[in-house]
Amino acid sequence: MNKFLILAPAAMLAASTAFAASHSMAPMVEASDQSVANGIVSADMVQAAENGWLVVHRTDADMKPGPVVGHAPLRGGENVDVAAILTEDVKSGEMLMLMVHSEAGGMSTGVFEYTLGATEDGPIKPDGNLVMTVVTAE
């Protein structure tokens, strides 16, 4: 019985450390080129430090975020197979920037309030860099 008491705290500490490590991963977006014929663009995995949004921007070879054409809510932590419904037609060959945005600064929680250039629900920028990836619609 004493062995259980000695091992239990060690096991709890290891589990807590693993949980903390998994939740302190750097924010990121993983996605690949895909068909958008069904009106959806998906990210395979999104890592977010807190609740926020996966936002789909139009972009081009200049790699600057353009108008928003879709978004989906994110939970803090790891999000798998995140699907954003497109609000505009996207043609095969167009480039889309999938970017992590915050839930901060808006008037309402759970309502996506960002417009291009605004601060409400704006993009996160750890170390001054956007958290995003670019895919091409097929």
Side-chain angles (χ1 to χ4, degrees):
M1 186 137 188
N2 287 341
K3 287 183 184 177
F4 177 75
L5 293 175
I6 293 170
L7 292 176
M12 289 181 358
L13 178 61
S16 295
T17 303
F19 179 81
S22 71
H23 282 68
S24 64
M25 291 176 56
M28 61 175 295
V29 180
E30 289 181 359
S32 52
D33 296 349
Q34 59 194 276
S35 171
V36 294
N38 60 358
I40 293 174
V41 64
S42 297
D44 300 321
M45 200 277 287
V46 180
Q47 181 72 34
E50 57 190 33
N51 294 346
W53 304 96
L54 174 67
V55 178
V56 183
H57 292 266
R58 290 188 187 276
T59 192
D60 56 23
D62 290 337
M63 298 295 176
K64 292 183 181 175
V68 173
V69 295
H71 65 277
L74 295 172
R75 292 186 192 120
E78 186 175 308
N79 297 261
V80 179
D81 193 23
V82 180
I85 297 173
L86 295 170
T87 56
E88 296 181 11
D89 288 335
V90 174
K91 294 179 177 73
S92 180
E94 288 188 73
M95 297 171 69
L96 300 172
M97 183 177 286
L98 283 61
M99 183 184 302
V100 178
H101 280 234
S102 171
E103 173 61 25
M107 298 295 289
S108 301
T109 300
V111 176
F112 183 64
E113 301 174 78
Y114 179 80
T115 57
L116 198 57
T119 57
E120 297 83 7
D121 297 346
I124 66 167
K125 294 182 182 178
D127 299 323
N129 299 311
L130 296 171
V131 177
M132 59 84 179
T133 193
V134 175
V135 301
T136 300
E138 296 178 343

